[in-house]
Amino acid sequence: GVTARSATYSGTAAAAVLSVSPAGAKNFGSVAVGANSTHTLTISNTGTVATALTFDSLSPPYSRNGGTCAATLAAGNNCTYIVKFMPTIGEASSATWTVRGDTGVTARSVAYSGTATSTVVDLVASGDTTFLKMADGTWHASGDNDWGQLGLGDNVRRMTYVRVPALDGASQ
């Protein structure tokens, strides 16, 4: 007769595994308006195959400031991604940055926060329009802008203070 034969196979599927260090949240603390602070992340692929990397865009006052990460991260390798916090107005801000790999690879995120600090040295107000001169020589404005009186090149009303570069360094 015929004898049946069977075989059992086992193994681990090849996969990329991303990690980010330091993990969790990063608070830049207080940073003076016009100054900046950077934070370096190390992204590692501890898996057995390479993976494509994509990164969420950061919005001001956060931005990418270099690093060694490319479009692909080989198995067993790591790269760096540098995040810069450069505030332009004295207020708190936050953002979440995420790196993603190929389909099936768990995305990793880092939450960022920071507070911009600056000292107001002069204030000019008229009706519903206010200008602030900061200790660093920059000017910020908010309020009515129906006729372009904020000097920003448009006529959009500003409910929060925005920097007016054309006035930087000007005296009253």
Side-chain angles (χ1 to χ4, degrees):
V2 176
T3 304
R5 304 277 186 219
S6 66
T8 304
Y9 297 95
S10 66
T12 303
V17 178
L18 291 180
S19 64
V20 175
S21 176
K26 166 63 176 170
N27 185 337
F28 283 99
S30 295
V31 176
V33 168
N36 70 74
S37 179
T38 59
H39 181 237
T40 301
L41 297 164
T42 300
I43 301 160
S44 301
N45 178 359
T46 58
T48 56
V49 297
T51 186
L53 295 179
T54 57
F55 306 97
D56 282 359
S57 295
L58 291 163
S59 298
Y62 303 93
S63 63
R64 182 172 184 176
N65 194 46
T68 62
C69 290
T72 303
L73 184 58
N77 284 356
N78 60 52
C79 63
T80 59
Y81 189 100
I82 302 169
V83 174
K84 178 170 69 172
F85 174 54
M86 186 172 174
T88 58
I89 184 80
E91 63 187 17
S93 65
S94 63
T96 300
W97 169 89
T98 302
V99 58
R100 291 177 173 75
D102 290 325
T103 301
V105 177
T106 303
R108 302 294 179 198
S109 298
V110 176
Y112 284 101
S113 61
T115 302
T117 59
S118 188
T119 303
V120 175
V121 295
D122 203 355
L123 179 139
V124 179
S126 174
D128 289 332
T129 303
T130 305
F131 290 86
L132 302 176
K133 182 177 182 182
M134 311 310 276
D136 64 0
T138 62
W139 283 86
H140 301 266
S142 73
D144 285 344
N145 194 30
D146 297 334
W147 303 281
Q149 63 265 41
L150 295 181
L152 298 168
D154 60 33
N155 62 350
V156 177
R157 179 181 173 86
R158 299 306 199 286
M159 301 305 290
T160 60
Y161 285 96
V162 295
R163 185 172 177 185
V164 184
L167 295 177
D168 288 353
S171 59
Q172 189 179 358

